[in-house]
Amino acid sequence: MKPDGGILVVDDEFLIADLLSAMLEEMGLDVCGSAASAEEAVAAVRRHEPGLVLMDVRLRGARDGVDAAAEINAISSVPIIFITGSRERETVERIEAIRRGSVLFKPVRFDQLQREVLRAIAA
Amino acid sequence: MAIALTSTMLRGGAPAGSKARGGRWVIPVILMQALCTTAIIPISSLPGPELPALTPFFLSGILTTELATSFLLFAWFHDIRTWPLLLIASAYLFSALLLTDYLLTFPSAIVPGKAFVGGPQAAAWVFVIWTIGFAGLALAAAALQWRGATQALDPVRATAATGKAIGAAAAVALLTLLAAAFEDDLPTLMAGPFFTLLDQVLTAFGLMLLLFGTAIILLHLRGQNELFAWLAVVLVGMFCAGLLTALGGARYTIGWSAARLSWVVSGSVMFLFFVRQFVRRQHVLVDARQALEDAVAQRTADLTDAIRQRDLLLREVYHRVKNNLQVVDALIALEFPRFRDPAAREALTELRNRVFALGLVHQQFMSSEGLVTFPAAPFLRELCDHVSTSLDVAERGIRLDVDVAPIKVNLDFAIPVGLLTTTLLSNAARRAGTTAVRVSFQRGAPGEAILAVEDDGAAAAIGTSADDPAENPPDDPLGGSSGARIVQGLTRQLEGRIDVSQDDGVRVRLHLPLPDIAA
């Protein structure tokens, strides 16, 4: 099963975004684009209308991935998988407050990512 | 003006310990006043020195202190807003204004040989009205305080009451002066230098008011209210002065002159009360400031300690990250002998150099002063030295020059720059025909650094895409497929741009916006 519109990867670290894209492509899924800041992420959602978003919490600029997800939620029903290295309670609580969001903690294994992506697509 | 006095001092309450203090000193002081007065009474009617010039001298002294005291009392009333305090403030203003009248009407005080305003009776009438008026207001204040009329007025009503009180005092003072100016219609109070019976009666009435006021304070307020305790001393001083004047029987007698001295003393008492409060508050302020400075010093020490602890932990984190990366490098090195394929060995060497670059960044932070930035020069020199050693640059006869400007970098900038330098230097050293490589990191346009790697090797095809490795040929000046991806991706991550030229070799220049801390 492939999500319509492909998958958007949002991460300010090029190497991480590149690795995630490679893992998704290995799963046979399409990556429609990448973004490094909250503003770029929102613009990419408007432009590509992806079927899934992989969202890092720490992004370039003042706004983080949770801010971007809240804005994306307001304009789209696309599911969002947060991928973060932070296990701070405040961050986790903010993520849990986002509708249609789930979370994976770095470092992410291939099988973890695949299971979560398939679950999000099937939902 | 903020009068630093507690409201409890006037609202019936008193600061801790003030009751004992009031009880201790008021009675002895009053007894001393009575003793001095009693000692003078037998000689009070004897003639003393006739020095009219002394009158303006003592009057101006009292006038100054009474005006200042009145101002302080009104300012205090602005905060406390009780009727007793308004009456005391009004009494002092009234006193200051009537003393002005007295100065204008007393013979020889301003104009030699006669009064400036009015005739021989004028000063006596002013004096009687002053004594009765002040004593009456003080008695009213003491009575209201005793009866518990100490609720604070609302601010608007208090302001209106202040205006009315000042207006009334000024009106009475003006009317008194006018009456004194037309003294012909007033009953006689002075017969030559002697006081008439009417004067003695009026003086006695004033003394009675002073006595009643003093009695109320001593019996009911002395231990509860510090202000009224001081007022009792004032009233007794005025009583003694009035008594000595009456017993002296005429101007310039011993009693009359001693009364002036008593007035000066009693006129200064309330001012001294405020001076004492000021000094007391100063001590409190000094103590509070010292306590604050101690608290700030302690807080600063705590924060300094916390920062030191944080620095210690951060250094430890950097140290452990660097060590872990060295472990990763060692693990890769252990696998190295298993590979015979040159491409695989080259990839592993490249990988080890990149891991080294990451570890070197953390080592720089570990030894940096602020743990946030470090100078790029030693970092890039050591990195280039390590990469060139791993690639046998010197053994292959390649000359390496490294030129780095004194630019500070932070973590988010140093990691990509380290990886970019490693990749570009490896590319240049491996390029066919290379005999010299130059690495430079210099300031470019404002807020921008230029990382340049130049060599004299063979020209190569230039790829254009970081997204599709197939578009980057193996001899791409940015490196093979993964090298080009990394250079283009990390440059984009830093929001920079790539400039490649190939004239007698290959020159790659990366224009990188510096982070704010380094710019």
Side-chain angles (χ1 to χ4, degrees):
Chain A
M1 188 192 310
K2 284 188 177 182
D4 294 337
I7 301 174
L8 176 68
V9 178
V10 185
D11 200 307
D12 66 330
E13 290 282 351
F14 157 73
L15 292 172
I16 305 292
D18 206 38
L19 176 65
L20 289 172
S21 298
M23 289 165 82
L24 292 169
E25 284 165 359
E26 199 173 328
M27 293 173 203
L29 301 170
D30 296 329
V31 176
C32 63
S34 63
S37 67
E39 292 74 18
E40 287 177 14
V42 174
V45 167
R46 289 185 194 278
R47 187 167 59 250
H48 298 298
E49 297 182 359
L52 178 65
V53 176
L54 297 192
M55 178 74 76
D56 185 20
V57 171
R58 180 177 178 259
L59 298 178
R60 185 197 300 154
R63 297 166 69 210
D64 67 8
V66 186
D67 297 327
E71 194 172 338
I72 289 170
N73 252 341
I75 60 170
S76 167
S77 59
V78 61
I80 298 170
I81 299 174
F82 288 92
I83 298 178
T84 176
S86 170
R87 289 175 188 265
E88 287 176 4
R89 198 174 68 181
E90 185 193 344
T91 304
V92 174
E93 285 175 355
R94 288 178 66 214
I95 289 173
E96 287 172 352
I98 299 292
R99 286 178 291 121
R100 295 185 294 278
S102 57
V103 62
L104 286 174
F105 293 102
K106 292 178 184 175
V108 180
R109 294 199 315 271
F110 183 88
D111 61 311
Q112 288 176 319
L113 181 63
Q114 187 173 39
R115 188 167 58 245
E116 197 61 35
V117 167
L118 292 177
R119 194 192 62 74
I121 293 171
Chain B
M1 178 181 176
I3 304 300
L5 301 171
T6 57
S7 59
T8 53
M9 289 166 58
L10 198 71
R11 288 206 181 120
S18 66
K19 180 171 183 175
R21 198 162 47 240
R24 272 205 304 269
W25 68 267
V26 172
I27 296 296
V29 169
I30 287 175
L31 286 176
M32 193 172 292
Q33 288 174 294
L35 198 65
C36 292
T37 304
T38 306
I40 295 171
I41 284 174
I43 57 170
S44 59
S45 57
L46 297 176
E50 190 168 334
L51 298 169
L54 277 181
T55 297
F57 177 75
F58 102 87
L59 277 179
S60 58
I62 301 177
L63 187 61
T64 305
T65 55
E66 304 257 286
L67 265 180
T69 305
S70 170
F71 175 77
L72 292 168
L73 285 164
F74 273 115
W76 191 13
F77 171 73
H78 182 73
D79 294 332
I80 305 299
R81 303 192 304 276
T82 63
W83 283 115
L85 186 55
L86 179 63
L87 286 174
I88 299 174
S90 303
Y92 270 86
L93 178 64
F94 174 79
S95 179
L97 294 173
L98 266 288
L99 282 169
T100 308
D101 289 354
Y102 191 67
L103 186 65
L104 293 171
T105 54
F106 193 84
S108 301
I110 297 176
V111 182
K114 62 173 186 175
F116 188 71
V117 175
Q121 304 300 319
W125 272 105
V126 170
F127 182 83
V128 165
I129 292 170
W130 169 47
T131 307
I132 293 174
F134 184 89
L137 287 168
L139 173 61
L144 284 175
Q145 184 74 21
W146 173 36
R147 301 313 297 173
T150 54
Q151 296 302 310
L153 303 174
D154 69 73
V156 176
R157 197 172 169 209
T159 304
T162 302
K164 286 177 184 171
I166 292 173
V172 172
L174 190 62
L175 287 173
T176 303
L177 189 63
L178 285 172
F182 302 101
E183 59 172 341
D184 294 345
D185 297 330
L186 295 174
T188 304
L189 294 181
M190 295 291 293
F194 300 103
F195 304 127
T196 65
L197 179 63
L198 177 62
D199 182 87
Q200 300 283 29
V201 170
L202 291 172
T203 299
F205 178 65
L207 293 181
M208 190 178 65
L209 294 178
L210 290 168
L211 208 57
F212 282 159
T214 306
I216 289 174
I217 293 171
L218 293 182
L219 292 175
H220 301 290
L221 303 174
R222 172 173 54 92
Q224 301 168 11
N225 192 295
E226 197 173 0
L227 176 71
F228 276 94
W230 285 73
L231 185 63
V233 175
V234 174
L235 297 182
V236 170
M238 289 188 70
F239 177 84
C240 293
L243 186 65
L244 287 173
T245 301
L247 293 176
R251 287 174 179 162
Y252 301 117
T253 57
I254 297 283
W256 186 87
S257 298
R260 264 62 191 157
L261 186 62
S262 184
W263 271 313
V264 170
V265 172
S266 68
S268 308
V269 165
M270 198 56 81
F271 188 70
L272 286 176
F273 166 77
F274 282 104
V275 170
R276 184 168 176 272
Q277 297 300 330
F278 178 75
V279 170
R280 189 188 286 177
R281 285 290 135 181
Q282 280 298 105
H283 288 151
V284 171
L285 280 176
V286 167
D287 291 345
R289 192 179 67 184
Q290 187 58 48
L292 197 62
E293 284 177 357
D294 291 347
V296 168
Q298 182 60 45
R299 183 75 180 137
T300 304
D302 291 346
L303 288 173
T304 304
D305 191 51
I307 290 171
R308 197 169 59 244
Q309 292 285 342
R310 185 214 66 169
D311 287 357
L312 204 64
L313 287 172
L314 206 48
R315 274 183 219 284
E316 181 64 16
V317 168
Y318 286 137
H319 181 74
R320 292 192 180 192
V321 170
K322 184 208 72 169
N323 282 356
N324 288 343
L325 288 167
Q326 283 180 341
V327 170
V328 172
D329 181 44
L331 291 172
I332 298 170
L334 284 172
E335 297 296 325
F336 196 78
R338 290 176 49 207
F339 295 91
R340 290 286 174 262
D341 176 39
R345 293 173 71 89
E346 188 178 300
L348 282 179
T349 301
E350 187 77 6
L351 183 57
R352 288 188 63 191
N353 284 340
R354 286 169 184 158
V355 171
F356 177 84
L358 300 181
L360 192 58
V361 168
H362 288 86
Q363 186 177 353
Q364 301 298 313
F365 276 117
M366 201 177 74
S367 52
S368 70
E369 194 173 329
L371 300 167
V372 177
T373 62
F374 63 83
F379 164 63
L380 289 179
R381 284 201 191 95
E382 187 172 345
L383 181 62
C384 291
D385 185 53
H386 178 85
V387 173
S388 65
T389 302
S390 73
L391 298 175
D392 298 327
V393 164
E395 289 77 359
R396 289 159 52 204
I398 300 173
R399 194 183 75 249
L400 174 65
D401 291 321
V402 180
D403 183 16
V404 184
I407 299 172
K408 286 195 168 185
V409 292
N410 62 9
L411 184 68
D412 287 344
F413 190 76
I415 293 282
V417 166
L419 294 174
L420 287 165
T421 305
T422 304
T423 304
L424 292 175
L425 175 55
S426 299
N427 293 346
R430 289 189 178 119
R431 212 178 318 282
T434 296
T435 61
V437 179
R438 184 171 189 276
V439 177
S440 74
F441 185 68
Q442 301 290 333
R443 289 186 182 276
E448 177 194 87
I450 298 174
L451 174 62
V453 180
E454 304 168 29
D455 63 71
D456 57 352
I462 299 175
T464 55
S465 172
D467 297 327
D468 186 357
E471 290 188 22
N472 294 91
D475 57 348
D476 187 319
L478 300 181
S481 59
S482 70
R485 278 178 84 92
I486 287 173
V487 172
Q488 290 172 326
L490 291 178
T491 304
R492 194 171 61 226
Q493 178 178 315
L494 293 176
E495 299 180 303
R497 63 184 172 85
I498 303 170
D499 176 17
V500 181
S501 62
Q502 302 192 69
D503 296 316
D504 300 328
V506 177
R507 187 181 70 173
V508 180
R509 289 162 64 92
L510 306 182
H511 300 259
L512 307 172
L514 284 165
D516 287 343
I517 197 157

